[in-house]
């Protein structure tokens, strides 16, 4: 009994230390987001920390969030996709052009661009799986091709025209006071979380990303895991094009390039929180919102627009560095 009593304070301190370490490691980025919001709320109390502004941040980041979620599967299997932003650009000008210039109904046009995104994902998968082309090279090449098609289709101009009210309603209504783009992000996040965490396909994808040789020996289909990952990226890029087209009411072939860096920054930031060292859905949303909250605060303080790229780039570098640090620290403890 005395021995237990003697060890009890030390055990409690050890347990408390482990609890704090786990909390900081797993939820440090969440605390950073809350701290950032608190700082900007103090500096701009009348405009920043309001329900309208917080919803505006979440809405403005919805497309980035969808794209960051779209590449999670590719990152999980250990590959890269540099084409998703260009796919969004082509799909965006096409969904607007098909309705405004070719008189397609909005459901048909939406199905067509999602199918286009799926086809692009299959092309990436074919190049990587069957042709054994590096995913970096394959997706960069496809990105260039798709970007050229977007400029060719649009003539390098913003595509506009009369659009059905039902198409605008896809992103411009607010059920229960929450804008539709936020609902899309939540729904996609739940579906991907279920896929990655609770299905055999998700487990196989993580196994492929963790150790491809071991996964192959275990009988896991590498080609199937990679194909699923690239198809998810293409389909969600098509969905992002529909949502962004509905928000803007136009198709902008060159605007998609601005989504590449923020999407990757959000995904890599997400790998430092919730389940550190792993690309995960909820961490990605935290990372994306951190970017949006930071940029919104800086803009309200009067910083120049170019600060957004500076902030996003700095966050990506910090995310990659910190993710590597966490991996080394955890590896050293084993």
């Amino acid at each position: 009994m005395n021995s237990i009593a003697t060890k009890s304070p030390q055990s409690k301190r050890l347990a408390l230390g482990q609890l704090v370490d786990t909390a900081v490691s797993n939820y440090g980025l969440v605390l950073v987001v809350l701290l950032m919001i608190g700082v900007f709320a103090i500096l701009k109390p009348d405009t920043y920390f309001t329900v309208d502004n917080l919803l505006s941040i979440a809405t403005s980041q919805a497309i980035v969030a969808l794209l960051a979620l779209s590449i999670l599967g590719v990152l999980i299997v250990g590959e890269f996709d540099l084409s998703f932003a260009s796919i969004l650009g082509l799909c965006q000008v096409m969904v607007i052009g098909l309705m405004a210039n070719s008189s397609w109904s909005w459901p048909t046009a939406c199905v067509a661009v999602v199918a286009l995104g799926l086809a692009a994902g299959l092309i990436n998968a074919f190049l990587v799986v069957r042709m054994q082309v590096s995913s970096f090279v394959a997706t960069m090449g496809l990105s260039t091709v798709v970007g050229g098609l977007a400029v060719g289709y649009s003539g390098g101009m913003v595509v506009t025209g009369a659009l059905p009210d039902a198409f605008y309603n896809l992103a411009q209504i607010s059920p229960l006071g929450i804008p539709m783009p936020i609902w899309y992000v939540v729904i996609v996040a739940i579906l991907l979380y279920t896929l990655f965490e609770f299905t055999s396909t998700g487990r196989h994808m993580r196994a492929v990303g963790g150790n491809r040789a071991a996964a192959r020996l275990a009988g896991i289909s590498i080609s199937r895991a990679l194909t699923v990952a690239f198809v998810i990226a293409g389909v969600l890029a098509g969905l992002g094009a529909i949502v962004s087209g509905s928000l803007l009411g136009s198709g902008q072939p060159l605007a998609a390039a601005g989504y590449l860096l923020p999407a990757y920054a959000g995904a890599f930031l997400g790998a430092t929180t919730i389940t550190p060292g792993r690309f995960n859905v909820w961490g990605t949303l935290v990372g994306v919102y951190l970017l949006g909250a930071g940029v919104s605060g800086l803009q309200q303080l009067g910083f120049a627009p170019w600060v957004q790229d500076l902030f996003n780039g700095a966050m990506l570098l910090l995310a990659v560095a910190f993710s590597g640090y966490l991996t080394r620290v955890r590896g050293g403890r084993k």
Side-chain angles (χ1 to χ4, degrees), residues 56-71 84-85 88-89 92 170-171 180-182 184-185 188 236-248 255-256 258-260 262-264 284-285 288:
S56 175
I57 293 172
T59 303
S60 67
Q61 291 297 104
I63 307 304
V64 176
L66 286 174
L67 292 179
L69 292 172
S70 79
I71 57 175
F84 63 91
L88 179 142
Q92 188 189 86
L170 290 177
M180 276 303 299
I182 300 176
Y184 294 134
V185 171
V188 170
L236 289 184
L239 175 61
I242 294 169
V243 178
S244 61
S246 177
L247 280 172
L248 298 172
Y259 289 119
L260 185 66
Y264 266 106
T284 297
L285 296 186
V288 169

Side-chain angles (χ1 to χ4, degrees), residues 132 207-208 211-223 226:
Q132 297 295 301
V208 169
N211 189 321
R212 192 162 297 186
R216 184 178 288 107
L217 290 174
I220 294 174
S221 173
I222 308 299
S223 60
L226 296 182

Side-chain angles (χ1 to χ4, degrees), residues 3 11 37 41 62 88 91 94 112 147 171 175 205 221 226 230 262 273 307 319 324:
S3 176
S11 300
I37 291 174
L88 179 142
C91 290
M94 286 198 66
M205 292 172 71
S221 173
L226 296 182
F230 282 111
T273 190
V307 173

Side-chain angles (χ1 to χ4, degrees), residues 203-314:
R203 290 190 291 271
H204 290 173
M205 292 172 71
R206 291 202 179 276
V208 169
N211 189 321
R212 192 162 297 186
R216 184 178 288 107
L217 290 174
I220 294 174
S221 173
I222 308 299
S223 60
R224 182 173 183 271
L226 296 182
T227 300
V228 169
F230 282 111
V231 165
I232 289 173
V235 168
L236 289 184
L239 175 61
I242 294 169
V243 178
S244 61
S246 177
L247 280 172
L248 298 172
S250 63
Q252 303 180 18
L254 302 179
Y259 289 119
L260 185 66
L261 178 61
Y264 266 106
F268 275 94
L269 280 169
T272 69
T273 190
I274 309 300
T275 54
R278 296 176 60 194
F279 292 104
N280 66 92
V281 169
W282 307 120
T284 297
L285 296 186
V286 172
V288 169
Y289 197 83
L290 169 65
L291 299 175
V295 169
S296 176
L298 293 172
Q299 289 175 343
Q300 290 189 30
L301 290 176
F303 284 84
W306 57 265
V307 173
Q308 176 174 348
D309 291 334
L310 178 65
F311 181 78
N312 288 337

Side-chain angles (χ1 to χ4, degrees), residues 4-17:
I4 295 176
T6 302
K7 293 181 180 180
S8 181
Q10 182 178 0
S11 300
K12 288 181 179 180
R13 285 194 298 270
L14 181 60
L16 180 61

Side-chain angles (χ1 to χ4, degrees), residues 25-317:
S25 176
N26 290 4
Y27 303 105
L29 192 66
V30 177
L31 298 177
V32 170
V33 173
L34 295 176
L35 178 61
M36 179 181 293
I37 291 174
V39 170
F40 286 128
I42 293 172
L43 295 175
K44 301 292 291 185
D46 295 331
T47 58
Y48 190 84
F49 195 63
T50 64
V51 172
D52 287 342
N53 186 58
L54 296 178
L55 284 176
S56 175
I57 293 172
T59 303
S60 67
Q61 291 297 104
I63 307 304
V64 176
L66 286 174
L67 292 179
L69 292 172
S70 79
I71 57 175
L72 273 187
V74 176
L75 292 172
I76 285 172
V77 297
E79 301 291 348
F80 280 93
D81 186 353
L82 300 179
S83 66
F84 63 91
S86 295
I87 294 171
L88 179 142
L90 176 60
C91 290
Q92 188 189 86
V93 297
M94 286 198 66
V95 74
I96 301 298
L98 290 173
M99 289 183 290
N101 302 328
S102 301
S103 301
W104 285 34
S105 67
W106 71 266
T108 305
C110 290
V111 170
V113 297
V114 170
L116 179 60
L118 186 150
L122 288 174
I123 291 172
N124 278 331
F126 174 78
L127 292 172
V128 174
V129 175
R130 299 301 179 189
M131 304 303 293
Q132 297 295 301
V133 179
S134 161
S135 61
F136 187 90
V137 174
T139 58
M140 181 171 60
L142 185 66
S143 174
T144 305
V145 171
V146 169
L149 290 174
V151 173
Y153 180 83
S154 64
M157 306 294 290
V158 174
V159 180
T160 60
L163 302 174
D165 290 339
F167 180 72
Y168 285 116
N169 289 341
L170 290 177
Q172 295 190 21
I173 60 174
S174 300
L176 303 179
I178 299 175
M180 276 303 299
I182 300 176
W183 286 109
Y184 294 134
V185 171
V186 172
I187 292 170
V188 170
I190 292 173
L191 291 176
L192 288 183
Y193 177 72
T194 302
L195 172 67
F196 295 147
E197 303 297 333
F198 300 108
T199 68
S200 59
T201 298
R203 290 190 291 271
H204 290 173
M205 292 172 71
R206 291 202 179 276
V208 169
N211 189 321
R212 192 162 297 186
R216 184 178 288 107
L217 290 174
I220 294 174
S221 173
I222 308 299
S223 60
R224 182 173 183 271
L226 296 182
T227 300
V228 169
F230 282 111
V231 165
I232 289 173
V235 168
L236 289 184
L239 175 61
I242 294 169
V243 178
S244 61
S246 177
L247 280 172
L248 298 172
S250 63
Q252 303 180 18
L254 302 179
Y259 289 119
L260 185 66
L261 178 61
Y264 266 106
F268 275 94
L269 280 169
T272 69
T273 190
I274 309 300
T275 54
R278 296 176 60 194
F279 292 104
N280 66 92
V281 169
W282 307 120
T284 297
L285 296 186
V286 172
V288 169
Y289 197 83
L290 169 65
L291 299 175
V295 169
S296 176
L298 293 172
Q299 289 175 343
Q300 290 189 30
L301 290 176
F303 284 84
W306 57 265
V307 173
Q308 176 174 348
D309 291 334
L310 178 65
F311 181 78
N312 288 337
M315 288 297 102
L316 176 58
L317 291 174

